[in-house]
Amino acid sequence: MSIKRFFVKDGRLRPTWRVISYVVALVVGLFGIQIPIGVLLVVALLVGVLDQSSLMQLQYSLPFLALNTAISLAVILPLTYLFRRFLDGHSLRSLGLERGQGWLRDIVTGLLLGTALMGLIFLVEWGAGWLIIEGFSWQVQSPALLLPRLLVYVLLSAGVAFYEELAFRGYILQNLRADWGIVAALVASSLLFGIFHGLNPNVTLLALANIFLAGVLLAACYLVTRNLWLAMAFHFSWNFVQGPLLSFPLSGLDTAGLLVTSTQGNPLITGGAFGPEGGLLGTTVLGLGLLLLWAWKRRRK
């Protein structure tokens, strides 16, 4: 292979190099904005404005999560547009955002699938005695505060589902597929998806393996429908039901949902402080999700 063919395909930069450039730009953009914020927090800690406990609470508070979501969206959306428009030569909508036939059905299916799978995890843990419902959030805080908080979580969950699917199942998966085929693209994009969650609190090797498996399921959502609506809707409902509704830890984050619960099951099964995505029960349910998606695909034919 000549040097030109190594870097160029069909008159444009080869898709693999576009993905590498995209990931580098993504990391630089996200960390370039977040590093100054981190420096300010460290300074506040050093001068005594915050103590270590207050710093940890602030980092995982709802306002800080909202800030991180806004930063990620502000970086990923324009970056993806620029790469898709000028390096790929296509529109952003061509990544799977067209409202073609059945797009609303795909959204409803994704919402139901994510809700059903997370609900199944909840029922199994509750039925096995691994999860105890001690009360409801509106018994310990005012509904006037609870409802706006829940609305914020709706927006945050939607934002995360949008920009993560746009990046991983949109730009990365589809460009890698153009160079290496479906299997390699699915594995590589899911590995990157797992790596990007590697700094989450309370993360374990099993949690990373499950996030990889979730990436495979979300990639399958795109491959079955050839759009991102199913994947985005599933991603949204999986996250929103998991944390803000059922009060599980969400990828290591405490979201303090509608239920007041305590857990006493084996963390290897339940996921412990990382939440269901960190346990073998999560592994099983994600595998079930793949089987259900396969059955749904056969029915669509």
Side-chain angles (χ1 to χ4, degrees), residues 160-171 218 228 231-232 235:
V160 170
F162 175 76
Y163 69 67
E164 287 192 353
E165 293 313 305
L166 187 66
F168 290 98
R169 264 61 65 179
Y171 196 83
L218 289 163
L228 294 176
M232 287 179 177
H235 197 152

Side-chain angles (χ1 to χ4, degrees), residues 58-75:
L58 177 62
Q59 280 184 301
Y60 304 123
S61 66
L62 184 56
F64 208 79
L65 291 176
L67 176 62
N68 279 333
T69 301
I71 289 172
S72 298
L73 187 59
V75 170

